[in-house]
Amino acid sequence: MSDGRPVFTDVVGELASWDDGVLTVIGRDAQPVRIAEEALVAAKAVPPAPVRRGDRAVAAHLAVDSAELQRIAGRGWPGTETDRLGGWTLRAAKGFTNRANSVLPEGDPGLPLDQALDRARGWYAGFGLPAVVQTDLEDPLDAELEARGWAPHASALFQTAPLAPLVDDPAAAAAGVQLSREPGAGWLARYRRVTDPGLAATALAVLTGGPSVWFATVPGADGEPPAAIGRCAVDGRWVGLAALEVAPEQRRRGLASAVTAALARAAADEGAELAYLQVEPDNTAAIALYERLGFRTHHRYHYRRQPGA
């Protein structure tokens, strides 16, 4: 304060996250600046810039915390049924995929932990499902669940990357990748996750859920299922890549890179600048591909299932 008047300062950059009352802005020097919410006086949004290259893009995708990324990923792969328990989001989709059938603990559930877990068990029981909680390995909640006998169920690496290098890949045009807003019959025929016909409608609802979803297809020959497929969900400056599959006989032809490039371009056209995906830790081939595309592991997470389930 000078002469009894407050002194203000500006931070110019890109908002990387806004979590727990703290804003993280990536400044022009590519360094994160953290601002307490109560210190914020005014903010002005500017239109999205062209897809960025260089240090600022790299810093932005590394600066976001894991909780914010998991919230974004949750919006991009939603359950068909949801409910709130304080700061927890309960998600169910008839057992189709772990993410769509687990608790996302975004904050305090508003109850003592044991009571909150009992409430979650009851909610999932109503759908004929066990209660499953998604947790980061570094989250204190993970240790609490372990102490209560909630066993690890599945694990994944959450990876992020700047979008620009993916957009620049010329492979998409050469492979004839086709984009659509809905997965056609061919796309669904190639997608391996739906093995139970009774889950088809639920799976379709999850796949098409999200703020802005695109499906990519590399057509197969002579009426065969597609040679490759993929999906993305655009959410502001982030795009989530998923369901990347290539026919076994079509592998090592660059089709996975082509599908990724086509989806990246669609996302960039909507203003996205950063990409994320999840991959199983033992999927070495996929991890190697994503590393070549510029992805790096941001954090690890897994699921814990209720005792006795």
Side-chain angles (χ1 to χ4, degrees), residues 8-270:
F8 299 102
T9 187
D10 293 330
V11 175
V12 180
E14 300 187 23
L15 181 63
S17 67
W18 189 338
D19 192 51
D20 294 331
V22 177
L23 293 80
T24 300
V25 177
I26 304 301
R28 288 175 171 169
D29 59 356
Q31 297 301 309
V33 178
R34 291 174 174 82
I35 306 167
E37 187 177 285
E38 61 266 22
L40 183 67
V41 176
K44 178 181 178 181
V46 296
V51 177
R52 294 170 311 158
R53 290 146 175 82
D55 291 341
R56 288 181 65 203
V58 173
H61 83 91
L62 293 175
V64 184
D65 66 25
S66 60
E68 178 67 16
L69 285 174
Q70 292 293 1
R71 278 192 286 272
I72 294 169
R75 292 195 296 266
W77 194 272
T80 55
E81 304 286 344
T82 61
D83 201 357
R84 296 289 296 182
L85 180 59
W88 291 8
T89 300
L90 313 182
R91 308 169 292 187
K94 294 186 178 179
F96 173 67
T97 71
N98 289 312
R99 181 175 294 278
N101 292 272
S102 59
V103 178
L104 180 62
E106 304 170 81
D108 190 325
L111 294 170
L113 181 57
D114 288 327
Q115 292 182 31
L117 293 174
D118 285 342
R119 188 77 62 86
R121 276 191 288 255
W123 189 82
Y124 281 98
F127 297 102
L129 298 169
V132 175
V133 180
Q134 177 187 326
T135 63
D136 293 353
L137 272 61
E138 304 301 323
D139 189 335
L141 175 61
D142 189 62
E144 295 284 355
L145 293 173
E146 182 177 27
R148 288 165 171 77
W150 288 62
H153 172 52
S155 60
L157 308 179
F158 198 110
Q159 299 194 323
T160 60
L163 195 60
L166 308 181
V167 174
D168 289 341
D169 191 329
V177 181
Q178 299 174 356
L179 294 176
S180 63
R181 287 295 195 175
E182 297 282 338
W187 195 100
L188 294 170
R190 174 57 60 199
Y191 186 57
R192 295 175 299 167
R193 288 257 185 159
V194 184
T195 57
D196 181 356
L199 285 178
T202 297
L204 183 62
V206 174
L207 288 165
T208 55
S212 178
V213 180
W214 288 96
F215 296 88
T217 303
V218 177
D222 301 324
E224 293 294 318
I229 60 170
R231 170 195 182 271
C232 78
V234 186
D235 189 347
R237 61 204 298 262
W238 284 95
V239 58
L241 301 170
L244 182 60
E245 297 192 17
V246 179
E249 68 277 9
Q250 299 288 345
R251 290 172 183 165
R252 301 188 182 280
R253 292 183 50 207
L255 296 184
S257 296
V259 166
T260 301
L263 292 171
R265 168 48 62 192
D269 288 345
E270 293 188 28

